[in-house]
Amino acid sequence: MNILEGSLDGRDLKLAIAVSRFNESVTKALLDGALAQLKRMGVSESNVSVAWVPGAFELPGVAARFAKSGKFDAIIVLGAVIRGATPHFDHVSNAVNSGIAHLAREGQIPVIFGVLTTDNTEQAMDRAGLKCGNKGADAASAAVEMVNLYKRMP
Ligand code: INI
């Protein structure tokens, strides 16, 4: 049996992060969690590029450009789409979900989805370092694991 797994060794890896400014108190906490976790895994700060975008809707476009550049081993997108009184929530979350899923499926490098979709700010903050861990840190771990897994795949 051939079991394929990726390690959490981030040494020498180059990572790009696209993070949205909408709901910035949440997304900044996701970014801080991701950067701290990358550091723990041995990723050098000079090997990390961060692009801020206005909102989650803009994440797939920037992630696609990072992917096309050929300069990175993986891309992480971070955002927070919080349900409001308007149908905008569904439009934005559907667009970012399908855009990133397409890139992750079709691209050569891992594209990791760290976008929270929650009913309210409290649920989002809980997932950005309060009660339920930090999904930015989880996304960072997933990125390094997937890069190392892809390297082992035929
Ligand atoms: N962008 C978000 O990142 N989160 C949201 O909750 C959100 N809501 O609810 O509207 C949001 N909208 C902005 C959108 O992502 C774009 O930046 C905007 O439509 C310009 O293209």
Side-chain angles (χ1 to χ4, degrees), residues 15-138:
L15 277 293
I17 301 175
V19 55
S20 51
R21 213 175 289 113
F22 208 102
N23 297 314
E24 190 171 351
S25 53
V26 177
T27 61
K28 176 75 174 62
L30 293 175
L31 177 62
D32 289 345
L35 293 175
Q37 181 62 11
L38 289 177
K39 196 173 181 183
R40 277 193 284 274
M41 293 184 293
V43 179
S44 151
E45 210 178 297
S46 58
N47 282 343
V48 181
S49 294
V50 177
W52 282 92
V53 302
F57 186 83
E58 282 71 41
L59 290 170
V62 171
R65 277 159 185 76
F66 272 140
K68 238 186 213 168
S69 76
K71 291 184 178 161
F72 301 100
D73 295 299
I75 295 155
I76 299 166
V77 300
L78 302 174
V81 191
I82 299 176
R83 191 180 290 280
T86 72
H88 214 59
F89 172 91
D90 295 305
H91 298 309
V92 174
S93 54
N94 288 341
V96 66
N97 288 353
S98 59
I100 297 302
H102 177 79
L103 273 180
R105 206 171 41 240
E106 304 299 332
Q108 294 303 307
I109 60 172
V111 181
I112 304 299
F113 189 76
V115 179
L116 300 176
T117 49
T118 62
D119 287 332
N120 54 52
T121 306
E122 189 187 351
Q123 288 174 353
M125 288 306 287
D126 282 348
R127 289 157 182 77
L130 296 185
K131 290 187 193 151
C132 310
N134 186 310
K135 299 300 171 199
D138 294 348

